Amino acid sequence: MRHVMSPLDFSTEELDQLLDLANDIEKDPEKYAHACEGKRLATLFYEPSTRTRLSFEAAMMALGGKVLGFSSADSSSASKGESVADTIRTVSCFAHIAAIRHPKEGAPLVASMASKIPVINAGDGGHQHPTQTLTDLLTIRSLKGRLNNLTIGLCGDLKFGRTVHSLIEALVRYENVKFILISPEELRVPSYIRDDVLRANHKDFQEVIRLEDALPQLDLLYMTRVQRERFFNEEDYVRMKDFYILDKAKMDLAPDHMLVLHPLPRVNEISVEVDSDPRAAYFKQVQYGMYVRMALILTLLEVKVC
Ligand code: NCD
């Protein structure tokens, strides 16, 4: 039985197979419509979510399976003091696979150790978000045709943004990927990402403050929101929240081939006027998120479709 805690739980060959499967599902969804009949997915969300939870649920339904779960800690026995280990032991009796989002780093890992069914980390605090990374990789590979030879700018809250941490960990494994890390001083990537991931893999990276300076060099711009819920005080959040706003004028500085990605939700960091720019790919990214989660569920449940 296999759990997914980080994108590194898959080799690059396995990732290629997973993304190939997702592309095949996109081409011919009918072929997969009954693949998970009789199977149940549990979504255990101790933190708010729109895309991740609903795309997991839509993915399981599109495979002919069923879903159950909760969407806030308040509506589960966590509010009575139950541990994640006891909750997953219980859920193992009802479901065949589970996706867990939790505000505490490592909570899905603790759950996986007590689980009888595959557990997927659907976001743990400011740590990792591997299924968003699968979504990002599928989007990049489908729209750019490659995962190597790319200059990617990651912009915004690089300290608390778990999607950024997972994406960097995944992309350092590809040839000639350069990173431009764009953030205010206070929101730079954590030192383990800088030292143990980027430097340890001898990756070319720069840290800059001005988005305008980076834009002309980029093949991809990955925008992120400032993670309000992880700040210790509201004043710091208010000072940081509008540090970057991508608008039409800034898009004029970017190459025609640059794609804009964002895990969403967006707050102010991308102006709505950018949505109609052909380079804006963040809503296509949402659609890819469902296909890749379908591929992931099939892979973890070892369901083969011929
Ligand atoms: C992200 C998350 O939850 O980390 N959202 C998502 O899953 N698509 C990004 C965010 O909340 O900013």
Side-chain angles (χ1 to χ4, degrees):
M1 187 178 58
R2 200 161 179 186
H3 307 292
V4 178
M5 295 297 126
S6 137
L8 302 182
D9 292 337
F10 292 107
S11 66
T12 50
E13 292 74 26
E14 285 175 321
L15 274 181
D16 270 339
Q17 284 168 14
L18 194 76
L19 303 185
D20 288 344
L21 179 58
N23 283 137
D24 196 60
I25 294 169
E26 179 192 8
K27 260 193 270 143
D28 189 2
E30 223 9 75
K31 188 166 121 192
Y32 296 89
H34 305 284
C36 284
E37 256 164 21
K39 304 277 190 210
R40 288 179 295 276
L41 162 78
T43 50
L44 314 178
F45 276 58
Y46 297 83
E47 251 195 356
S49 170
T50 298
R51 269 150 297 273
T52 305
R53 186 172 63 84
L54 298 186
S55 70
F56 261 117
E57 296 186 356
M60 191 49 153
M61 290 177 197
L63 293 167
K66 292 203 162 67
V67 297
L68 67 164
F70 52 82
S71 56
S72 77
D74 301 346
S75 61
S76 78
S77 285
S79 63
K80 301 178 185 170
E82 186 172 59
S83 68
V84 286
D86 284 1
T87 301
I88 196 73
R89 267 186 211 121
T90 304
V91 171
S92 297
C93 305
F94 308 145
H96 303 91
I97 185 165
I100 304 188
R101 167 169 291 190
H102 201 285
K104 284 211 182 106
E105 287 81 2
L109 179 65
V110 171
S112 71
M113 295 189 296
S115 181
K116 294 195 169 63
I117 58 175
V119 172
I120 303 166
N121 177 5
D124 61 328
H127 185 218
Q128 295 274 340
H129 193 345
T131 64
Q132 182 62 47
T133 296
L134 298 179
T135 303
D136 302 338
L137 296 178
L138 180 64
T139 308
I140 298 168
R141 206 189 70 163
S142 302
L143 300 181
K144 282 263 165 223
R146 63 183 194 276
L147 290 170
N148 52 13
N149 300 320
L150 291 166
T151 299
I152 174 165
L154 297 117
C155 177
D157 187 346
L158 309 188
K159 178 177 180 188
F160 297 117
R162 56 192 174 198
T163 63
V164 166
H165 307 156
S166 289
L167 184 57
I168 294 175
E169 284 204 348
L171 283 176
V172 294
R173 297 193 290 180
Y174 297 91
E175 290 283 303
N176 194 29
V177 175
K178 296 188 181 125
F179 298 86
I180 304 189
L181 307 174
I182 308 151
S183 75
E185 182 61 35
E186 291 95 323
L187 299 179
R188 288 169 62 193
V189 287
S191 54
Y192 80 91
I193 295 286
R194 199 167 23 249
D195 297 332
D196 305 344
V197 182
L198 290 161
R199 288 201 179 112
N201 285 286
H202 312 290
K203 285 291 145 182
D204 182 337
F205 76 97
Q206 300 169 41
E207 294 187 273
V208 303
I209 296 178
R210 277 170 49 85
L211 174 58
E212 292 85 337
D213 295 342
L215 275 169
Q217 309 168 53
L218 303 179
D219 299 310
L220 293 166
L221 172 62
Y222 194 89
M223 291 296 292
T224 62
R225 105 189 136 89
V226 177
Q227 305 279 300
R228 180 181 203 160
E229 63 276 37
R230 317 234 184 267
F231 274 68
F232 294 113
N233 68 68
E234 182 73 6
E235 251 167 64
D236 286 346
Y237 168 70
V238 170
R239 201 159 43 77
M240 294 288 125
K241 73 182 173 71
D242 293 329
F243 202 95
Y244 298 107
I245 299 180
L246 182 69
D247 56 13
K248 252 179 169 255
K250 290 203 187 71
M251 287 299 286
D252 287 343
L253 303 172
D256 290 344
H257 68 266
M258 186 193 82
L259 292 180
V260 184
L261 303 182
H262 190 311
L264 304 179
R266 131 176 82 184
V267 187
N268 283 329
E269 60 281 355
I270 303 181
S271 157
V272 288
E273 67 188 19
V274 176
D275 296 359
S276 54
D277 188 300
R279 294 168 289 181
Y282 31 93
F283 289 109
K284 282 189 206 138
Q285 201 177 344
V286 176
Q287 182 73 62
Y288 284 122
M290 187 183 84
Y291 298 133
V292 92
R293 289 183 175 97
M294 289 171 76
L296 181 64
I297 292 169
L298 290 172
T299 304
L300 295 180
L301 291 179
E302 297 179 11
V303 176
K304 296 257 182 303
V305 177
C306 307

